[in-house]
Amino acid sequence: MKVFINPGHAPNGVPDPGACNSTTGLRECDVALSVGKLVEHYLNAVGIETAVVQSDELYEVCSEANNLEADLFISIHCNSVESPYAEGTETWYCAGSSDGEHLAECIQSQIVDHLGTVDRGVKMATPGKNGLYVLTNTDMPAVLVELAFISNEDDEKLLRNKQDEFARAIARGVTDYM
């Protein structure tokens, strides 16, 4: 089993750090990379091979995952909106992928159950409508995990202080899927 882990946005935030909390300065790229490396650690510990690639070049990310013939693809992100009240976790999969939907359900359940985030649900990305590039351009079951809202005060605290717990939940979601 090979799992390709894609922490969202550019390494070191250049040119795109993703969402940032305007009060604390916490950046999505940093949270995603930290959680992604921890997921790698936990999956490796149970004998699952991994690759971690953080890049804004989504075509290259998908090509690398496909060329590695990964069995699963997990992209890690933080959500953000103007309203400071939006909160919770959601996990996306590509329309038509029952395996992707199952993986999304396993990961979503682990995060919500173990971190107590608001369950925003498992959501389907439809190519040409709301298709997320990495979900529609990879050859394996793929999910995009929006850990929590970096723009929400309570969620931001989880993203800052519970990165290890998020990573453990994602890794457990993968082993549940298997």
Side-chain angles (χ1 to χ4, degrees):
M1 167 77 63
K2 280 188 246 177
V3 178
F4 191 94
I5 301 165
N6 169 235
H9 300 282
N12 300 314
V14 178
D16 178 16
C20 298
N21 183 289
S22 59
T23 303
T24 67
L26 187 66
R27 302 184 315 168
E28 179 178 9
C29 64
D30 300 327
V31 172
L33 183 60
S34 175
V35 171
K37 287 185 173 195
L38 288 164
V39 171
E40 175 184 42
H41 167 75
Y42 291 120
L43 292 178
N44 290 167
V46 296
I48 298 172
E49 185 180 341
T50 56
V52 178
V53 175
Q54 184 178 42
S55 173
D56 269 343
E57 300 297 326
L58 299 182
Y59 174 82
E60 292 174 14
V61 168
C62 294
S63 293
E64 191 163 344
N66 293 335
N67 291 338
L68 284 173
E69 297 180 352
D71 298 296
L72 300 175
F73 181 99
I74 300 170
S75 191
I76 300 170
H77 292 265
C78 302
N79 228 333
S80 181
V81 293
E82 281 189 35
S83 170
Y85 303 107
E87 61 185 338
T89 301
E90 60 191 41
T91 306
W92 290 80
Y93 69 97
C94 187
S97 173
S98 59
D99 288 337
E101 182 178 15
H102 180 58
L103 176 61
E105 290 166 348
C106 290
I107 291 172
Q108 179 76 10
S109 176
Q110 284 288 341
I111 293 173
V112 169
D113 290 351
H114 293 279
L115 281 107
T117 58
V118 170
D119 187 353
R120 294 177 59 88
V122 168
K123 300 185 177 189
M124 180 176 63
T126 304
K129 181 179 175 191
N130 63 346
L132 300 167
Y133 189 89
V134 295
L135 300 182
T136 59
N137 291 280
T138 47
D139 297 336
M140 67 288 305
V143 297
L144 188 145
V145 183
E146 295 280 7
L147 300 170
F149 279 80
I150 204 165
S151 53
N152 174 281
E153 184 179 348
D154 293 331
D155 274 9
E156 189 274 351
K157 288 176 186 168
L158 290 174
L159 291 168
R160 178 181 299 279
N161 300 316
K162 302 287 186 178
Q163 294 172 12
D164 187 71
E165 289 87 340
F166 277 111
R168 287 176 187 262
I170 293 169
R172 280 192 308 269
V174 170
T175 57
D176 289 351
Y177 169 84
M178 294 170 49

